[in-house]
Amino acid sequence: MNKKNIFTSPLALSFWLPLLIMLSYFIYRGMSPFGTSSVLTVDLGQQYIDQFAAFKHTLISHPSSFFYSFSNALGGDMISEWAYYLMSPFNLIYLFVPLMQLPAAILIVTVLKFGTAGLSMAYLLKSLRLQKNYYVSLFAINYALSGWFIANDLNLLWLDAAILLPLLILQLEQLFNRPTYWRYALILGLTIISNYYIAYMIIIFITIYFIWRMTWPNQIQPRWQTLKHFVVGSLVGGALSAWLILPTYYQLKLGKAQYSSDWSLKFDNNPLKLLFKLVPGSFDFNQMQTGQANFYVSAFILIVLLTFFTTKTLNWTVKLGGATILILLFLATTWAPLTLIFHGFQYPVWYPYRFSFIISFFMIYLAALSWQPNWRPNSSTIIIILLMLVAFIAYALTMNHQIAYISHQSVAIFVSLFLLTLALMLFKQHQRLWLPILFFITTISLASNVILSLNRFSYLTNTEYQTSVKSLNIADKTLKKDNSWYRVAQTFQRTRGDAMMFDYYSGSHFSSALPKTTPNFFGNFGQPDGDNYVVYSNGSILSDALLGMKYVLTPNSQDHGRAGDPSTHLIGYRPDTIKYTLQSSKGTSNVLNNPYALPIAFSANSKALKTPMLYNNPLQNQGNLWQDLSGDATSPIHVANFQQAIGHNVNAPTAITGAILTKVNKAQPAKLNLQFTPETNDSYYLTLGSGLPIKEFDLLINNKVITQFSSYRHTVLVNLVTKAKNKPQTVTIRFKNTQSLVLNNFTLYRVDNNQFQKNNQQLKQHPIKITKRNERLITGEITTTKQQPLIMTTIPDAPGWHITLDGRAVSPDKVANYFIAVNTMPGKHTIQFKYTPPLFWSGLFMSLFALLVLILGLILKKTLARKRST
């Protein structure tokens, strides 16, 4: 191929045109590196970018974190996260880019994926000879710029599997033409490895597609032989991915698979409203959360798709099968049972109908299979098309006020482009003029959907991103000077994945692969949690010490409240850190050193093995565990009381916890002041139940708003005051958008700081001395005593941890339903903790065996071919 063809061939055009359209849009929006904005929005800015940074840290600094990382909440499996988030080869680009420029690199990766999707589709169409010359590109760009790709341009982790779909179909088609399956198996394996979730949807589709293809008349290969190659190729392809998928499957059983959706035969939405998804710009923020499937294609595809049903060159069984599959796919976007099947038996959280790229693909494929450039619609076809268009316009005008994502303007654009395309079909084809005009109309159709859809979203500015990264990066340089094992707490954060971004150990994480035990523990300890995230934002001196939070990142007084500054990303209020020492104060953040932080393993009293975790009683849980670990006779936690309640436009209850507050005058502001005077310099805390959501009120201490993480589903812990003996304190509950509040689990507590310090000194007497460690291995020496025979760790218990004590394998115990602990005889011990993902070695053996089968099969095939030739 000469240099000219590299840029102007149909394959090249299929790559460059989608890339340039997306790039032009990003330039128009001024996204980095072309302006002050960025591509970061929703999950891309709050979750994926941190994973991309972790990808870089893993490959460059510590490969063992491919298997396990203590940056994952308090510690967690990582191979399952790689399987979902990070197996794209495009991610290698991030290795060459500093964290400050990561949004620019993400933009580059995004446009490259759009271009590659067009190239992949074009290669399928050309290889199967479904279309010729630049008509290949006409169909291919419709796939790359279809509605699903635009709606999910931020979900980069899903795009690779969609890119591989056309190549997988190509190799599936080859099964019908020649007796070989190795290419099909290889592409299938790569598809599963790229993203198992989207691959699962693709596997459902290719199975249905294969059944349909088997019904075609005039098969080249015997059907039994094709079926054999499909089954064997599918098994080998699955086995090639087993090294990644088997351990991932095991982890899913510990987390996401434990949540279920209710089955019913209902329709989840109005199927007729799917018609509006043919209108450019039929996507907005609400659609991103709970909308309908996105399968937008240009008017050209919609019109020429009719040829599949009207052409006489295809057997009626082929048409019936194709129509059945199309109906089935559309039905899966509205009928609950099929929706659940396509989504792994769980309704997705946001981004609904994640398989809808398959609909666009199949529509384009069927159109390309049947349409020829010399086709012109006859009179009856034109009349039917126009009647359908009129009916659609009438329905759109009727529903326009009920559908937020369409407008008279977008409907007019659709109708105009549709009529222009239809009018062009009435003329005889003239290559030099007809095709460029059709290309122009189609490109405008696809580009209008890009602009109208993505213009509805706001994006994080690059300045805000870089400001927050710079602040955390300066603090991180201080942390990196300490080579010991420790965790880091934060009163501000850019995202819940800061630890992933900056490669330190923390207590927050945001991931779809989170095991259920982790949010359960965080809920028991008074921290915000959800099915897919945990946040260590509401710590206490007890939890800081126990979890080894040696450092705390807090804002200092040097920032100016600009977007991205620490003061604009507050998640917690920590006056109890007053006795922590200032390690550094640089830039806009402080690094505090916690002198009470315990190591990752230490000797403790074995009574901790029996400490129960009480539901929605976090500070009592912390106190009970602390008491049992130290073997103390009393708990450091004491219930305190408010001394006076003063209502302003609200009733003043006599009993606080469980009280119902109701506005007297609904039109006026309302608040309740609760007063108490500390009798000691101890730390005072408040608990807030999930029935008292922070979005409905402001919580103040002495007229200062206490900023909390935005949501919680269990009782959370709130710092109030430390070292304020005999100083009156006022806690204020100020109503926001509500008429009443229930003071659910609203209780005041005091921590006996002297007892805490005494117990802390006791637990620090026999720490582990680490002699060797990486992300999945900790080896060290530790001494236990008669009073403290338990080796207590803050390593989350999980299948995959293998422990040896003095050279012998031991079974661990569990503390607080979460942490690994080992009971010992008193004395000096050598202990090792090593993590290997369950089923990893089994999966690796299967993958190596499958690879060997492929290699031997190819060698045998070449040997037989050589013998035949001689």
Side-chain angles (χ1 to χ4, degrees):
M1 183 181 291
N2 59 42
K3 188 173 182 179
K4 181 180 178 181
N5 287 338
I6 292 177
F7 296 99
T8 62
S9 69
L11 290 180
L13 186 62
S14 301
F15 174 80
W16 287 112
L17 191 54
L19 184 152
L20 290 174
I21 287 175
M22 293 304 298
L23 183 62
S24 298
Y25 177 78
F26 291 147
I27 293 174
Y28 151 71
R29 288 294 298 266
M31 293 177 177
S32 176
F34 306 105
T36 58
S37 185
S38 77
V39 293
L40 303 182
T41 186
V42 199
D43 284 353
L44 180 56
Q46 294 295 316
Q47 181 181 185
Y48 307 153
I49 189 171
D50 301 312
Q51 295 280 1
F52 298 152
F55 174 92
K56 178 177 180 177
H57 297 315
T58 298
L59 295 191
I60 292 178
S61 302
H62 36 74
S64 60
S65 61
F66 177 80
F67 298 102
Y68 193 90
S69 175
F70 284 99
S71 297
N72 178 347
L74 296 174
D77 178 90
M78 283 300 294
I79 196 169
S80 56
E81 303 222 352
W82 276 72
Y84 185 63
Y85 292 100
L86 296 173
M87 291 306 294
S88 170
F90 290 90
N91 292 345
L92 293 171
I93 291 173
Y94 304 138
L95 299 180
F96 307 98
V97 180
L99 294 182
M100 293 285 280
Q101 303 304 326
L102 210 48
I106 292 173
L107 182 147
I108 293 170
V109 168
T110 302
V111 298
L112 284 174
K113 288 193 177 188
F114 273 85
T116 308
L119 178 62
S120 171
M121 189 67 180
Y123 187 72
L124 166 69
L125 299 175
K126 182 179 180 183
S127 298
L128 295 183
R129 298 180 180 177
L130 299 183
Q131 293 294 322
K132 297 179 181 179
N133 300 324
Y134 289 100
Y135 294 107
V136 166
S137 303
L138 192 61
F139 286 86
I141 63 172
N142 269 277
Y143 181 62
L145 295 171
S146 59
W148 181 87
F149 274 91
I150 303 306
N152 292 284
D153 71 317
L154 62 95
N155 291 312
L156 294 176
L157 58 157
W158 296 343
L159 303 189
D160 292 68
I163 290 169
L164 288 167
L165 172 60
L167 302 183
L168 188 58
I169 292 295
L170 173 60
Q171 297 311 321
L172 186 60
E173 281 290 326
Q174 298 304 328
L175 298 179
F176 292 88
N177 298 322
R178 57 191 181 204
T180 182
Y181 62 82
W182 73 269
R183 293 183 182 86
Y184 164 70
L186 187 61
I187 298 298
L188 177 60
L190 290 174
T191 303
I192 298 171
I193 289 170
S194 70
N195 186 279
Y196 65 85
Y197 183 52
I198 302 300
Y200 163 80
M201 302 169 190
I202 289 175
I203 288 170
I204 294 176
F205 171 67
I206 64 171
T207 303
I208 298 170
Y209 179 95
F210 178 79
I211 295 171
W212 170 56
R213 191 64 177 78
M214 286 283 284
T215 65
W216 287 27
N218 306 319
Q219 299 282 344
I220 297 175
Q221 299 287 331
R223 284 183 171 84
W224 68 267
Q225 188 178 60
T226 305
L227 177 61
K228 180 186 72 174
H229 288 148
F230 175 72
V231 173
V232 174
S234 297
L235 291 174
V236 172
L240 287 172
S241 67
W243 65 274
L244 185 67
I245 297 307
L246 282 186
T248 297
Y249 169 72
Y250 192 94
Q251 294 302 320
L252 288 175
K253 291 199 302 179
L254 300 177
K256 196 172 181 64
Q258 294 191 33
Y259 305 102
S260 60
S261 298
D262 295 331
W263 282 78
S264 71
L265 298 178
K266 67 177 182 179
F267 281 83
D268 290 325
N269 55 63
N270 183 351
L272 279 178
K273 290 183 180 179
L274 288 172
L275 291 171
F276 297 126
K277 288 297 182 173
L278 301 174
V279 175
S282 53
F283 183 67
D284 60 12
F285 190 75
N286 290 328
Q287 286 288 296
M288 182 183 286
Q289 298 177 72
T290 57
Q292 292 180 286
N294 297 288
F295 51 87
Y296 178 86
V297 289
S298 72
F300 167 72
I301 297 297
L302 297 177
I303 292 171
V304 302
L305 179 60
L306 292 173
T307 62
F308 175 77
F309 304 101
T310 59
T311 183
K312 296 180 180 180
T313 59
L314 295 175
N315 188 278
W316 70 271
T317 58
V318 176
K319 298 178 185 178
L320 179 62
T324 302
I325 294 175
L326 207 53
I327 291 170
L328 187 69
L329 291 172
F330 276 112
L331 194 59
T333 70
T334 184
W335 192 44
L338 285 177
T339 299
L340 286 171
I341 289 172
F342 264 96
H343 290 95
F345 308 100
Q346 287 184 7
Y347 280 110
V349 179
W350 286 48
Y351 316 109
Y353 309 107
R354 299 176 180 183
F355 64 91
S356 57
F357 66 94
I358 296 173
I359 299 176
S360 301
F361 168 83
F362 199 56
M363 291 168 64
I364 296 166
Y365 183 80
L366 294 182
L369 181 66
S370 56
W371 180 75
Q372 294 299 321
N374 58 4
W375 175 80
R376 283 189 293 168
N378 57 36
S379 300
S380 58
T381 302
I382 294 171
I383 292 172
I384 292 172
I385 291 174
L386 291 177
L387 287 175
M388 292 173 63
L389 185 62
V390 170
F392 171 79
I393 295 171
Y395 182 53
L397 292 176
T398 302
M399 299 293 294
N400 181 58
H401 64 284
Q402 300 180 29
I403 309 296
Y405 56 83
I406 66 168
S407 63
H408 292 302
Q409 177 192 27
S410 59
V411 172
I413 291 173
F414 167 74
V415 172
S416 300
L417 292 170
F418 190 95
L419 290 175
L420 283 173
T421 306
L422 180 62
L424 195 62
M425 293 293 174
L426 302 179
F427 293 93
K428 288 185 177 180
Q429 186 233 109
H430 298 287
Q431 184 74 21
R432 290 187 177 181
L433 187 60
W434 189 85
L435 181 58
I437 294 174
L438 183 57
F439 243 111
F440 177 77
I441 296 173
T442 301
T443 302
I444 292 297
S445 178
L446 296 170
S448 65
N449 183 56
V450 172
I451 296 169
L452 293 176
S453 295
L454 299 186
N455 271 1
R456 289 195 167 107
F457 294 89
S458 58
Y459 294 82
L460 186 71
T461 68
N462 199 49
T463 303
E464 181 176 350
Y465 168 79
Q466 291 188 338
T467 298
S468 58
V469 167
K470 182 179 179 181
S471 177
L472 286 163
N473 203 29
I474 291 173
D476 187 52
K477 290 179 180 178
T478 299
L479 300 175
K480 292 297 189 286
K481 294 177 182 178
D482 187 342
N483 293 319
S484 66
W485 200 101
Y486 59 86
R487 291 190 177 102
V488 180
Q490 299 173 236
T491 64
F492 73 95
Q493 63 181 200
R494 198 195 77 79
T495 72
R496 286 158 283 187
D498 283 350
M500 287 281 184
M501 171 74 77
F502 295 97
D503 198 26
Y504 56 73
Y505 304 155
S506 181
S508 300
H509 194 52
F510 183 11
S511 168
S512 296
L514 203 64
K516 194 173 183 179
T517 54
T518 296
N520 285 349
F521 171 77
F522 272 69
N524 286 335
F525 254 48
Q527 310 304 311
D529 74 285
D531 291 347
N532 56 9
Y533 74 88
V534 289
V535 185
Y536 187 75
S537 58
N538 295 52
S540 70
I541 54 174
L542 296 178
S543 62
D544 278 3
L546 175 64
L547 300 178
M549 298 290 174
K550 186 176 181 180
Y551 296 103
V552 181
L553 304 185
T554 67
N556 59 26
S557 57
Q558 301 304 309
D559 78 41
H560 302 288
R562 298 165 301 184
D565 277 338
S567 63
T568 66
H569 289 286
L570 294 174
I571 58 167
Y573 178 65
R574 294 297 306 274
D576 60 353
T577 61
I578 193 169
K579 288 191 175 182
Y580 297 2
T581 59
L582 182 64
Q583 186 78 15
S584 73
S585 182
K586 298 178 181 178
T588 54
S589 61
N590 288 337
V591 178
L592 306 181
N593 187 306
N594 176 11
Y596 309 114
L598 295 171
I600 191 172
F602 53 92
S603 63
N605 195 291
S606 57
K607 286 198 299 183
L609 293 173
K610 298 181 180 179
T611 306
M613 288 291 103
L614 307 174
Y615 185 71
N616 277 340
N617 209 333
L619 201 55
Q620 291 287 4
N621 286 336
Q622 293 184 25
N624 292 343
L625 182 56
W626 192 260
Q627 176 185 350
D628 289 344
L629 285 169
S630 62
D632 205 318
T634 59
S635 170
I637 303 299
H638 304 276
V639 176
N641 293 303
F642 291 105
Q643 293 151 357
Q644 188 176 13
I646 303 172
H648 299 271
N649 192 33
V650 70
N651 57 297
T654 53
I656 304 301
T657 301
I660 299 175
L661 307 181
T662 304
K663 278 187 176 183
V664 177
N665 186 333
K666 294 182 179 181
Q668 296 296 318
K671 65 180 180 180
L672 175 69
N673 288 334
L674 299 169
Q675 298 177 344
F676 71 100
T677 301
E679 298 177 353
T680 68
N681 280 322
D682 290 334
S683 299
Y684 284 77
Y685 299 89
L686 183 70
T687 56
L688 302 177
S690 59
L692 184 61
I694 196 70
K695 65 181 180 180
E696 294 183 351
F697 71 100
D698 288 322
L699 183 67
L700 297 85
I701 179 75
N702 301 327
N703 293 319
K704 179 182 179 181
V705 174
I706 298 176
T707 303
Q708 294 294 300
F709 189 78
S710 58
S711 64
Y712 41 87
R713 63 180 185 180
H714 294 98
T715 299
V716 293
L717 192 64
V718 180
N719 268 249
L720 289 181
V721 68
T722 297
K723 203 173 181 180
K725 182 178 180 180
N726 298 327
K727 296 178 182 178
Q729 306 293 313
T730 300
V731 175
T732 301
I733 300 169
R734 187 169 64 195
F735 281 56
K736 290 202 288 191
N737 301 317
T738 185
Q739 299 299 323
S740 64
L741 291 170
V742 179
L743 300 186
N744 176 234
N745 284 3
F746 196 92
T747 307
L748 183 66
Y749 292 93
R750 174 179 65 86
V751 174
D752 187 329
N753 287 12
N754 290 329
Q755 183 179 342
F756 159 73
Q757 292 174 33
K758 181 186 73 172
N759 297 153
N760 181 259
Q761 287 301 317
Q762 182 181 348
L763 292 173
K764 293 179 77 171
Q765 285 179 0
H766 301 290
I768 187 172
K769 181 181 178 182
I770 296 176
T771 56
K772 184 179 180 181
R773 72 180 174 100
N774 58 35
E775 291 297 304
R776 57 184 286 261
L777 172 71
I778 295 176
T779 302
E781 297 175 346
I782 190 170
T783 299
T784 57
T785 65
K786 184 177 180 180
Q787 291 74 30
Q788 295 176 297
L790 184 72
I791 299 177
M792 170 66 188
T793 81
T794 52
I795 300 172
D797 179 59
W801 279 110
H802 303 278
I803 303 166
T804 58
L805 183 69
D806 301 324
R808 299 181 63 181
V810 295
S811 298
D813 292 302
K814 191 184 295 187
V815 170
N817 299 327
Y818 191 56
F819 294 120
I820 292 174
V822 179
N823 235 335
T824 69
M825 298 294 291
K828 187 175 181 180
H829 302 283
T830 298
I831 192 166
Q832 181 183 86
F833 305 89
K834 186 175 183 179
Y835 182 83
T836 301
L839 301 183
F840 173 73
W841 291 115
S842 301
L844 183 61
F845 174 79
M846 289 178 61
S847 295
L848 292 175
F849 181 76
L851 186 61
L852 182 62
V853 167
L854 280 185
I855 293 172
L856 292 177
L858 285 172
I859 293 174
L860 180 62
K861 182 180 177 182
K862 289 186 177 181
T863 302
L864 293 175
R866 199 177 298 116
K867 287 182 178 179
R868 290 193 196 100
S869 63
T870 56

PDB file of all heavy atoms in Angstrom, residues 50 97 128 248 271 347 378 418 455 472 574 655 728 781:
ATOM      1  N   ASP A  50      -8.363   7.345  38.022  1.00  0.00           N
ATOM      2  CA  ASP A  50      -7.534   6.823  39.105  1.00  0.00           C
ATOM      3  C   ASP A  50      -7.044   5.416  38.790  1.00  0.00           C
ATOM      4  O   ASP A  50      -5.905   5.053  39.119  1.00  0.00           O
ATOM      5  CB  ASP A  50      -8.340   6.820  40.413  1.00  0.00           C
ATOM      6  CG  ASP A  50      -8.824   8.208  40.794  1.00  0.00           C
ATOM      7  OD1 ASP A  50      -8.004   9.145  40.758  1.00  0.00           O
ATOM      8  OD2 ASP A  50     -10.012   8.361  41.114  1.00  0.00           O
ATOM      9  N   VAL A  97       2.971   9.509  30.130  1.00  0.00           N
ATOM     10  CA  VAL A  97       2.360  10.811  30.423  1.00  0.00           C
ATOM     11  C   VAL A  97       2.350  11.039  31.936  1.00  0.00           C
ATOM     12  O   VAL A  97       1.957  10.156  32.696  1.00  0.00           O
ATOM     13  CB  VAL A  97       0.906  10.852  29.887  1.00  0.00           C
ATOM     14  CG1 VAL A  97       0.265  12.188  30.192  1.00  0.00           C
ATOM     15  CG2 VAL A  97       0.884  10.579  28.389  1.00  0.00           C
ATOM     16  N   LEU A 128     -15.541  -9.623   3.993  1.00  0.00           N
ATOM     17  CA  LEU A 128     -16.672 -10.446   3.580  1.00  0.00           C
ATOM     18  C   LEU A 128     -17.252 -10.006   2.240  1.00  0.00           C
ATOM     19  O   LEU A 128     -18.215 -10.598   1.753  1.00  0.00           O
ATOM     20  CB  LEU A 128     -17.772 -10.398   4.648  1.00  0.00           C
ATOM     21  CG  LEU A 128     -17.428 -11.013   6.014  1.00  0.00           C
ATOM     22  CD1 LEU A 128     -18.629 -10.948   6.934  1.00  0.00           C
ATOM     23  CD2 LEU A 128     -16.952 -12.443   5.861  1.00  0.00           C
ATOM     24  N   THR A 248     -11.374 -13.738  38.440  1.00  0.00           N
ATOM     25  CA  THR A 248     -12.348 -12.639  38.450  1.00  0.00           C
ATOM     26  C   THR A 248     -13.731 -13.154  38.827  1.00  0.00           C
ATOM     27  O   THR A 248     -14.452 -12.529  39.621  1.00  0.00           O
ATOM     28  CB  THR A 248     -12.394 -11.960  37.072  1.00  0.00           C
ATOM     29  OG1 THR A 248     -11.122 -11.384  36.787  1.00  0.00           O
ATOM     30  CG2 THR A 248     -13.460 -10.877  37.030  1.00  0.00           C
ATOM     31  N   PRO A 271     -41.877   0.757  24.836  1.00  0.00           N
ATOM     32  CA  PRO A 271     -41.117   0.422  23.620  1.00  0.00           C
ATOM     33  C   PRO A 271     -41.247   1.460  22.514  1.00  0.00           C
ATOM     34  O   PRO A 271     -40.305   1.653  21.735  1.00  0.00           O
ATOM     35  CB  PRO A 271     -41.726  -0.920  23.196  1.00  0.00           C
ATOM     36  CG  PRO A 271     -42.334  -1.480  24.432  1.00  0.00           C
ATOM     37  CD  PRO A 271     -42.815  -0.297  25.221  1.00  0.00           C
ATOM     38  N   TYR A 347     -29.724  -5.555  37.145  1.00  0.00           N
ATOM     39  CA  TYR A 347     -29.922  -4.277  36.471  1.00  0.00           C
ATOM     40  C   TYR A 347     -28.666  -3.418  36.658  1.00  0.00           C
ATOM     41  O   TYR A 347     -28.120  -3.329  37.765  1.00  0.00           O
ATOM     42  CB  TYR A 347     -31.122  -3.532  37.056  1.00  0.00           C
ATOM     43  CG  TYR A 347     -32.450  -4.015  36.533  1.00  0.00           C
ATOM     44  CD1 TYR A 347     -33.328  -4.726  37.358  1.00  0.00           C
ATOM     45  CD2 TYR A 347     -32.839  -3.775  35.220  1.00  0.00           C
ATOM     46  CE1 TYR A 347     -34.561  -5.173  36.888  1.00  0.00           C
ATOM     47  CE2 TYR A 347     -34.063  -4.215  34.741  1.00  0.00           C
ATOM     48  CZ  TYR A 347     -34.917  -4.914  35.577  1.00  0.00           C
ATOM     49  OH  TYR A 347     -36.111  -5.353  35.098  1.00  0.00           O
ATOM     50  N   ASN A 378     -38.829   1.808  -5.008  1.00  0.00           N
ATOM     51  CA  ASN A 378     -39.966   1.978  -5.923  1.00  0.00           C
ATOM     52  C   ASN A 378     -41.040   2.829  -5.253  1.00  0.00           C
ATOM     53  O   ASN A 378     -40.919   3.240  -4.103  1.00  0.00           O
ATOM     54  CB  ASN A 378     -40.523   0.617  -6.361  1.00  0.00           C
ATOM     55  CG  ASN A 378     -40.929  -0.239  -5.164  1.00  0.00           C
ATOM     56  OD1 ASN A 378     -41.419   0.284  -4.164  1.00  0.00           O
ATOM     57  ND2 ASN A 378     -40.717  -1.548  -5.264  1.00  0.00           N
ATOM     58  N   PHE A 418     -33.223  12.907   6.883  1.00  0.00           N
ATOM     59  CA  PHE A 418     -33.878  11.706   6.373  1.00  0.00           C
ATOM     60  C   PHE A 418     -34.416  11.947   4.956  1.00  0.00           C
ATOM     61  O   PHE A 418     -34.205  11.138   4.039  1.00  0.00           O
ATOM     62  CB  PHE A 418     -35.009  11.307   7.312  1.00  0.00           C
ATOM     63  CG  PHE A 418     -35.599   9.956   7.022  1.00  0.00           C
ATOM     64  CD1 PHE A 418     -35.156   8.834   7.707  1.00  0.00           C
ATOM     65  CD2 PHE A 418     -36.604   9.796   6.076  1.00  0.00           C
ATOM     66  CE1 PHE A 418     -35.689   7.584   7.438  1.00  0.00           C
ATOM     67  CE2 PHE A 418     -37.148   8.549   5.799  1.00  0.00           C
ATOM     68  CZ  PHE A 418     -36.694   7.431   6.488  1.00  0.00           C
ATOM     69  N   ASN A 455     -23.130  18.055  24.085  1.00  0.00           N
ATOM     70  CA  ASN A 455     -23.274  19.441  24.557  1.00  0.00           C
ATOM     71  C   ASN A 455     -24.109  19.535  25.828  1.00  0.00           C
ATOM     72  O   ASN A 455     -24.098  20.562  26.512  1.00  0.00           O
ATOM     73  CB  ASN A 455     -23.912  20.311  23.470  1.00  0.00           C
ATOM     74  CG  ASN A 455     -22.872  20.918  22.547  1.00  0.00           C
ATOM     75  OD1 ASN A 455     -21.671  20.685  22.699  1.00  0.00           O
ATOM     76  ND2 ASN A 455     -23.318  21.693  21.585  1.00  0.00           N
ATOM     77  N   LEU A 472      -2.349  17.457  46.116  1.00  0.00           N
ATOM     78  CA  LEU A 472      -2.127  16.113  46.633  1.00  0.00           C
ATOM     79  C   LEU A 472      -0.720  15.616  46.315  1.00  0.00           C
ATOM     80  O   LEU A 472      -0.115  14.883  47.091  1.00  0.00           O
ATOM     81  CB  LEU A 472      -3.170  15.153  46.061  1.00  0.00           C
ATOM     82  CG  LEU A 472      -4.577  15.311  46.657  1.00  0.00           C
ATOM     83  CD1 LEU A 472      -5.614  14.637  45.772  1.00  0.00           C
ATOM     84  CD2 LEU A 472      -4.632  14.731  48.064  1.00  0.00           C
ATOM     85  N   ARG A 574     -12.135  16.929  61.485  1.00  0.00           N
ATOM     86  CA  ARG A 574     -11.342  16.128  62.408  1.00  0.00           C
ATOM     87  C   ARG A 574     -10.641  16.962  63.492  1.00  0.00           C
ATOM     88  O   ARG A 574      -9.416  17.048  63.543  1.00  0.00           O
ATOM     89  CB  ARG A 574     -10.294  15.331  61.626  1.00  0.00           C
ATOM     90  CG  ARG A 574     -10.839  14.256  60.692  1.00  0.00           C
ATOM     91  CD  ARG A 574     -11.587  13.169  61.433  1.00  0.00           C
ATOM     92  NE  ARG A 574     -10.792  12.575  62.492  1.00  0.00           N
ATOM     93  CZ  ARG A 574      -9.950  11.563  62.305  1.00  0.00           C
ATOM     94  NH1 ARG A 574      -9.805  11.025  61.110  1.00  0.00           N
ATOM     95  NH2 ARG A 574      -9.255  11.087  63.330  1.00  0.00           N
ATOM     96  N   ALA A 655     -36.237  14.146  74.781  1.00  0.00           N
ATOM     97  CA  ALA A 655     -35.367  13.003  74.464  1.00  0.00           C
ATOM     98  C   ALA A 655     -34.850  13.201  73.046  1.00  0.00           C
ATOM     99  O   ALA A 655     -35.644  13.341  72.103  1.00  0.00           O
ATOM    100  CB  ALA A 655     -36.139  11.694  74.582  1.00  0.00           C
ATOM    101  N   PRO A 728     -18.523  25.893  76.618  1.00  0.00           N
ATOM    102  CA  PRO A 728     -19.848  25.529  76.096  1.00  0.00           C
ATOM    103  C   PRO A 728     -19.810  25.280  74.580  1.00  0.00           C
ATOM    104  O   PRO A 728     -19.173  26.030  73.827  1.00  0.00           O
ATOM    105  CB  PRO A 728     -20.712  26.748  76.438  1.00  0.00           C
ATOM    106  CG  PRO A 728     -19.995  27.396  77.576  1.00  0.00           C
ATOM    107  CD  PRO A 728     -18.535  27.191  77.328  1.00  0.00           C
ATOM    108  N   GLU A 781       8.911 -10.489  61.652  1.00  0.00           N
ATOM    109  CA  GLU A 781       9.108 -11.136  62.946  1.00  0.00           C
ATOM    110  C   GLU A 781       8.275 -10.410  63.993  1.00  0.00           C
ATOM    111  O   GLU A 781       8.152  -9.175  63.961  1.00  0.00           O
ATOM    112  CB  GLU A 781      10.584 -11.098  63.330  1.00  0.00           C
ATOM    113  CG  GLU A 781      11.470 -11.863  62.355  1.00  0.00           C
ATOM    114  CD  GLU A 781      12.943 -11.713  62.686  1.00  0.00           C
ATOM    115  OE1 GLU A 781      13.280 -10.814  63.501  1.00  0.00           O
ATOM    116  OE2 GLU A 781      13.759 -12.461  62.118  1.00  0.00           O
TER     117      GLU A 781
END
